Amino acid sequence: MINVAILGFGVVGSGVGEVIVMNNEKLAKSLGDGIAVKYIFDKREFEGTPWQKLVVHDIDIIMNDPDVNVVVECMGGAHPAYEFSLQAIKKGKSVVTSNKEVVAKFGHELLSAARENGVGYMFEASVGGGTPVIRPLVKCLVANEIDSVCGILNGTTNYILTMMNKYSESFESALSAAQEKGYAERDPSDDINGIDTCRKICILADIAFGYGMDSTTVYAEGITAIRNKDVALAEKLDSSIKLLGRAKRVGDRISVMVAPFIVSSERVISGIDDVFNAVAINGNAVGEVTLCGRGAGKLPTASAMVADIVDVAKNGGLNVSWCSPDETPDGILLTPDQVEDKYYVAFATHDASAVEEQMDVKILSQDASEIAVETPKMPYGELKNKLSALEAKEIKAVSVIRIF
Amino acid sequence: MINVAILGFGVVGSGVGEVIVMNNEKLAKSLGDGIAVKYIFDKREFEGTPWQKLVVHDIDIIMNDPDVNVVVECMGGAHPAYEFSLQAIKKGKSVVTSNKEVVAKFGHELLSAARENGVGYMFEASVGGGTPVIRPLVKCLVANEIDSVCGILNGTTNYILTMMNKYSESFESALSAAQEKGYAERDPSDDINGIDTCRKICILADIAFGYGMDSTTVYAEGITAIRNKDVALAEKLDSSIKLLGRAKRVGDRISVMVAPFIVSSERVISGIDDVFNAVAINGNAVGEVTLCGRGAGKLPTASAMVADIVDVAKNGGLNVSWCSPDETPDGILLTPDQVEDKYYVAFATHDASAVEEQMDVKILSQDASEIAVETPKMPYGELKNKLSALEAKEIKAVSVIRIF
């Protein structure tokens, strides 16, 4: 019997319990052994539910019980989730988590500790929710040098952008709707400012390139500056605006960043709407592989975590194959100003000639108050210089969005 | 050192050799051990290439060499690929294959033999080419009861349908183009008649539901009857026509079939064009997960096979987790006539009233020579009866396509 202790029995934690009960027969068949929840660590009591008798408030009961094989960490926040995870690993228990903050900050340390102790540290659910991303990247595409990983990694912002696109809702009302539906936190700043996406793309970049990425220093732009006018123009161009995390090789350097992009409908991720996530991975043998699914939610996230439980129960530490990062060479990461893209820029002017003097642009639309253009590919720093030069002539850029 | 013998050094086999050489450093790092091709079994000599010195014409050299850990079977055809695979397994070697014919016919037997001999039998490349499908289904979605697996599993037919859609090419000229580009065989009948898709959906159905499916008895309809008029109408309805393999639970029974479907652009697979494959999997916890990528081609297919090599090299037989099929209960599989769908039907008539008398249809289009309708959901057998009744009144259905 595989005995599981669940730390934090909120939405995701209780989902893990639910999936283990709901699909117990299938799991036992796949694993050749049963899975049972032995403990729930939470402040609450869950009175009147079948879970009540499993609740403990003293973490040491779990840590000191040799029958607990797997600790499922669904606490959220860096502390004490990190400390509990490390303690469990040192006690010879595998740890499964959905906590992207802990993985982004302490993933390498916890993986090393897991390797030393012959147990697993698994975190499929930390990126993409129920969408398989980490295991496909690590396992299915192992034969590839990864050229890029790019995707919609945050369901809240994708929902907001979808509402702005499909129903012409304002950013504010779309955000309120997301909060009402439980897709967005009361404080949505980590989502709408790109911080959540940034943690996830850093985890994927670590795995793809083998360097440690510090998500607190990686460039992240959110969606708060996106206007309905921009969304409508993208639609007219048979494209959509998506908040993307993007990690790619550029020569012998690497670019990792988060920003909204205008994505042509030719690309699968352009049509991934609502709270769905999608990740496009380019490998030097396989070409492009795209993985789509629910990026959050109780049962989808639990689906990923229970798969991790089965994996560590079957293979223990054997399957931990995220390579330790190489020493990250100084300057391997391009600065935001060095990264080249094409840009959509809207200027508050009706006179195209001054803009055309500055850049060889393609006019996308023009009305009494604004001109929207597509620029050639250039480093972001160069674009900023050109925009400053135009601003000095009182031609102000009111919107700048990268083109994917 | 992991020593690999490649049986059949055609497009896919030589791709495996190429990927092992091209990404040797990455592979060694992921595996913690080197991978080398030790033998190539082929009739040809590959004179003047670096492979020449590895060529053997006697299979026993490979079978009797204890240093060969993994046999990569890329021979195509059922025999002697099956016999060689079984022999290798009995000699304690893991086998990796892209051969869907062998997997569909002998997969269960070879998996059992692999389990008995403590080695692996892996076949990720047999479905979806480079697209990860089998490993995600077996591993990533292990916590789910699978409700359905449905997808575009044949690149040749998807290419033909894309050409008919995007460039209004006729079926015949699209097929010729596919042959010229090397996407279609000289004898394309297995592709265009749905046989190839049928083998693949049966493999996926086996894994998803745990019953053995006989691909030779499963209903398979190809794309030869699709007319440009149908394709154009689908486009007008914001949909596209895709040849799908579909396996799904219907109550306590199962439906497995292959047919062209009209797929709304709301669904990810509707936009998957050219030789790309896509599989949508529905699980009772995760909801829908869609996996897209290159369904064929030298390096994409090799990408999947080399991932399998790494997996068996790391985990030997440990990772073989396709459950042995349960005894397949008589009558678990719905007959084609029992399966319910909505249908698009085009009638060679300009008089809608007779059709409307027979069925409660929605008129999709109408011109001087044809009426196209959408029917309510009904068993295929019932539709056939209604169409016979109409034919008796000289109202002939000229096209019938299921709606997804």
Side-chain angles (χ1 to χ4, degrees), chain A residues 199-390:
Chain A
R199 286 186 187 125
K200 292 168 176 168
I201 194 63
C202 285
I203 293 171
L204 296 179
D206 273 19
I207 298 171
F209 305 134
Y211 300 122
M213 293 293 149
D214 176 359
S215 71
T216 60
T217 63
V218 160
Y219 180 79
E221 200 180 302
I223 62 164
T224 51
I226 305 287
R227 310 170 309 159
N228 284 81
K229 204 165 178 174
D230 305 323
V231 172
L233 181 60
E235 170 86 15
K236 255 179 55 187
L237 300 170
D238 202 17
S239 301
S240 59
I241 298 180
K242 297 293 179 192
L243 181 66
L244 300 183
R246 185 182 68 180
K248 63 173 187 173
R249 287 185 202 276
V250 183
D252 54 2
R253 300 182 69 188
I254 281 167
S255 159
V256 184
M257 61 176 291
V258 176
F261 281 82
I262 293 181
V263 186
S264 153
S265 71
E266 295 281 298
R267 293 183 160 266
V268 176
I269 55 174
S270 173
I272 304 299
D273 285 336
D274 300 313
V275 293
F276 277 78
N277 280 195
V279 179
I281 305 171
N282 270 276
N284 70 342
V286 78
E288 184 156 294
V289 164
T290 309
L291 312 155
C292 320
R294 286 180 189 279
K298 182 176 181 164
L299 296 186
T301 307
S303 162
M305 298 192 82
V306 176
D308 278 353
I309 295 173
V310 170
D311 208 341
V312 291
K314 260 192 172 157
N315 301 302
L318 252 184
N319 255 346
V320 180
S321 52
W322 184 10
C323 298
S324 300
D326 298 329
E327 197 68 29
T328 305
D330 275 346
I332 185 107
L333 192 66
L334 290 169
T335 66
D337 282 356
Q338 290 171 323
V339 180
E340 291 189 11
D341 278 296
K342 290 181 182 180
Y343 307 84
Y344 150 95
V345 187
F347 293 97
T349 178
H350 59 274
D351 175 18
S353 60
V355 176
E356 285 173 322
E357 252 167 53
Q358 194 67 42
M359 291 183 277
D360 180 26
V361 297
K362 181 173 139 195
I363 307 282
L364 300 174
S365 84
Q366 196 157 8
D367 63 23
S369 61
E370 278 188 29
I371 293 169
V373 304
E374 179 183 324
T375 75
K377 199 170 177 182
M378 66 180 91
Y380 188 53
E382 187 181 330
L383 179 78
K384 287 197 297 187
N385 289 340
K386 288 183 194 292
L387 297 185
S388 297
L390 283 162

Side-chain angles (χ1 to χ4, degrees), chain A residues 134-149 204-211 249 281-286 321-324 326, chain B residues 18-35 303 306-307 310 314:
Chain A
I134 290 176
R135 197 172 273 100
L137 184 57
V138 171
K139 298 265 177 201
C140 306
L141 304 182
V142 65
N144 293 264
E145 287 286 357
I146 303 298
D147 296 320
S148 67
V149 182
L204 296 179
D206 273 19
I207 298 171
F209 305 134
Y211 300 122
R249 287 185 202 276
I281 305 171
N282 270 276
N284 70 342
V286 78
S321 52
W322 184 10
C323 298
S324 300
D326 298 329
Chain B
E18 200 175 306
V19 168
I20 288 175
V21 171
M22 176 171 80
N23 293 338
N24 205 265
E25 204 179 315
K26 158 80 188 278
L27 288 164
K29 197 173 155 192
S30 296
L31 188 53
D33 197 354
I35 300 184
S303 162
V306 176
V310 170
K314 262 193 169 157

Side-chain angles (χ1 to χ4, degrees), chain B residues 86 89-90 108-119 317 320:
Chain B
L86 187 60
I89 287 168
K90 287 185 173 166
H108 291 296
E109 183 192 340
L110 291 168
L111 269 172
S112 298
R115 226 173 270 118
E116 275 166 31
N117 288 275
V119 296
V320 179

